[in-house]
Amino acid sequence: EESFLDPISSQSTLWELMQDPGRLAALSADARLRLDRIRPVFAAALADRQRSSLRDAVEGTWLALGGPACAAGATELEDAEAYLDHLESKEDAGAIADFEAFEQSLDKLYALPDLAAGDAAVQIMTIHKAKGLEFDHVIVPGLDKVPPAEGKRLLLWMERPAGSDSSDPRRQESATNLLFAPIEETGAEHDSIYAWIKNLAAEKAAFEDGRLLYVAATRAKQRLHLLGEARLELKDEAQTARRPDSRCLLAKLWPVVSGEFQRAAAAAVPAEPADAPGDAVPDQSLRRLASAWILPDAPPALAWSAAGETAHAQDDIEYSWAGETARHVGSVVHRWLQTIAEDELRGWNAARIDAMSGIFRKELAARGVEAAQLAAAGARVAAALANALADPRGRWLLGPQQGARNEYRLTAVIDGERRNLVIDRTYIDKDGKRWIVDYKTSGHEGADVERFLDREQERYRAQLARYAVALAQGEAAMLGLYFPLLAGWREWDV
């Protein structure tokens, strides 16, 4: 480690100190060699200040200094990318307006999982999303975390079954009374109805938490790991585990697991008094490049093929044969199928599609569909989406699937040509099969629908084969064509 020896003046910048002959003379030969390498990089960065975004300036300087060469692997490079993305999101006119707020936001920026951790698939999801799924191993962390307290709401209400003198049993079943209470006025007497409804809501929430814990625990096929933390306290000169807050999930397990916690608490070594807030020193360990390290040469430029640029056109223009309006209908249907799939069908039904007719017409108009054709085109969009939601095959395609991607864009070199591909939907089913599915909004007015679907399968067979080459990379895959207007389906394997 080198030192500039003299106390640094608060008025001197690091750049100014790097130019001070007296301080430079005190450095070792190795330190001067390193400084000579980095000084031109800083000089160029300072000369270009405010000429580019802050993210570009920091990233360019980091690259020129050899930052990527200090990374231990792909995961750390991804972490650097996450930091630069965060820096870009907080940038204001080429600078950081509030450095204290920026440093606080960095505390919420976490490193990515290890990209080289192995082939075992790890999924992170909420308990709600895991409902109906099973996994070999399940880890449920943070059982001791207490949910934030709900503030007072302006109005509380609940429905209660109401008695009825009616002889009609259906009316007796459905009759309810609405009980509600407004928040009490400041300084007013305690409102017992408001408090009763609030306590009942808390009791219902506690039962729902128990149900969620049951759901989480029953997702595991082989091993279940439940992680929770209990505070230590001294009771009768013995170190014990404090009972967790009644609102957390650990409290529901406490009658069963308290013995384990108490044994661990008795054997625990008393912790040293915590330092005052702000005294913690962050890890600033560094990886140093060799003194003689030089920036490697850039890789050779890729050969550009004009033929490869146009080779993907047949995949992009799949509605040209049917006219501009049909192409725009297909684009809008694709957009909403993507949204429905990303929502995993939650909240989607025929009534919602019917209510969106105006939205469909506005989207079609924005794409250039003539006013005279808007009503028919909008009805076609609505019919395609409603059919997909009503069709069991459509619901299977659009529902929850492992590793699902929608409108997945990638570029691949296939048969020596560069192709830009857009895969409507791909996922892995419960049997571990990779599916690659394309939506087709083709319609058919004739009687022989099956023959029409067979012809469409042959027509698009080569297109989906290219998708399989780019995505499956030689592994087995299932290919599928889905026709929402017809509730039609064709599948084959690769």
Side-chain angles (χ1 to χ4, degrees), residues 256-337:
V256 178
V257 302
S258 60
E260 295 291 336
F261 277 85
Q262 297 301 351
R263 282 190 288 273
V269 177
E272 294 293 332
D275 294 333
D279 290 346
V281 179
D283 179 13
Q284 297 192 20
S285 56
L286 303 176
R287 295 191 186 95
R288 304 190 71 183
L289 297 173
S291 300
W293 185 90
I294 59 174
L295 196 68
D297 295 332
L302 292 175
W304 187 266
S305 170
E309 175 65 17
T310 58
H312 69 280
Q314 57 184 313
D315 290 350
D316 290 343
I317 308 174
E318 59 182 67
Y319 304 103
S320 58
W321 58 275
E324 284 294 304
T325 299
R327 183 170 66 86
H328 294 317
V329 167
S331 297
V332 174
V333 170
H334 274 65
R335 175 187 181 278
W336 285 106
L337 288 176

Side-chain angles (χ1 to χ4, degrees), residues 144-439:
D144 57 295
K145 301 301 181 184
V146 179
E150 184 177 356
K152 282 195 171 184
R153 294 167 59 184
L154 185 62
L155 187 68
L156 295 181
W157 67 87
M158 66 171 296
E159 290 184 350
R160 300 189 65 197
S164 174
D165 295 332
S166 171
S167 60
D168 187 345
R170 290 174 297 179
R171 292 187 60 188
Q172 290 179 357
E173 270 186 29
S174 61
T176 58
N177 285 335
L178 180 64
L179 178 65
F180 68 92
I183 189 171
E184 62 262 23
E185 182 182 356
T186 302
E189 294 182 4
H190 178 69
D191 189 329
S192 58
I193 299 178
Y194 186 95
W196 183 80
I197 297 177
K198 186 174 181 180
N199 290 338
L200 184 60
E203 186 177 350
K204 291 169 63 178
F207 282 122
E208 174 63 13
D209 289 344
R211 187 189 69 83
L212 283 177
L213 183 57
Y214 170 81
V215 169
T218 53
R219 298 310 93 203
K221 293 191 291 185
Q222 296 184 22
R223 191 174 293 273
L224 172 67
H225 302 268
L226 299 172
L227 309 183
E229 183 177 315
R231 293 181 177 274
L232 296 177
E233 61 181 1
L234 288 176
K235 183 179 291 185
D236 299 331
E237 299 184 357
Q239 190 168 244
T240 63
R242 183 186 302 175
R243 185 181 184 86
D245 191 291
S246 61
R247 293 172 294 166
C248 71
L249 296 180
L250 182 59
K252 299 186 179 305
L253 298 173
W254 195 248
V256 178
V257 302
S258 60
E260 295 291 336
F261 277 85
Q262 297 301 351
R263 282 190 288 273
V269 177
E272 294 293 332
D275 294 333
D279 290 346
V281 179
D283 179 13
Q284 297 192 20
S285 56
L286 303 176
R287 295 191 186 95
R288 304 190 71 183
L289 297 173
S291 300
W293 185 90
I294 59 174
L295 196 68
D297 295 332
L302 292 175
W304 187 266
S305 170
E309 175 65 17
T310 58
H312 69 280
Q314 57 184 313
D315 290 350
D316 290 343
I317 308 174
E318 59 182 67
Y319 304 103
S320 58
W321 58 275
E324 284 294 304
T325 299
R327 183 170 66 86
H328 294 317
V329 167
S331 297
V332 174
V333 170
H334 274 65
R335 175 187 181 278
W336 285 106
L337 288 176
Q338 176 186 358
T339 300
I340 294 171
E342 289 173 349
D343 291 343
E344 297 181 336
L345 293 177
R346 290 189 294 269
W348 287 96
N349 52 41
R352 182 174 179 180
I353 297 298
D354 290 341
M356 294 175 65
S357 57
I359 296 175
F360 299 149
R361 287 196 294 271
K362 288 180 181 178
E363 289 192 18
L364 292 164
R367 293 175 181 271
V369 175
E370 297 178 3
Q373 299 177 344
L374 282 178
R380 197 173 179 87
V381 171
L385 299 178
N387 286 352
L389 291 176
D391 178 26
R393 174 72 64 178
R395 297 186 67 82
W396 175 73
L397 289 173
L398 301 173
Q401 298 285 2
Q402 180 180 345
R405 288 179 177 269
N406 303 288
E407 294 296 313
Y408 186 31
R409 299 178 179 271
L410 66 161
T411 300
V413 177
I414 301 175
D415 296 332
E417 296 181 343
R418 185 177 65 86
R419 294 183 179 272
N420 300 327
L421 308 175
V422 182
I423 299 175
D424 292 342
R425 184 158 169 82
T426 181
Y427 53 85
I428 298 173
D429 67 13
K430 62 180 181 180
D431 298 323
K433 293 180 181 178
R434 162 71 65 181
W435 282 87
I436 300 172
V437 179
D438 217 42
Y439 309 133

Side-chain angles (χ1 to χ4, degrees), residues 438 440 456-457 460 464 479-483 488-490 492:
D438 217 42
K440 301 299 178 186
E456 292 294 278
Q457 179 180 358
Y460 292 108
L464 267 72
L479 306 180
L481 288 175
Y482 184 62
F483 301 80
W489 171 255
R490 286 293 181 268
W492 64 101

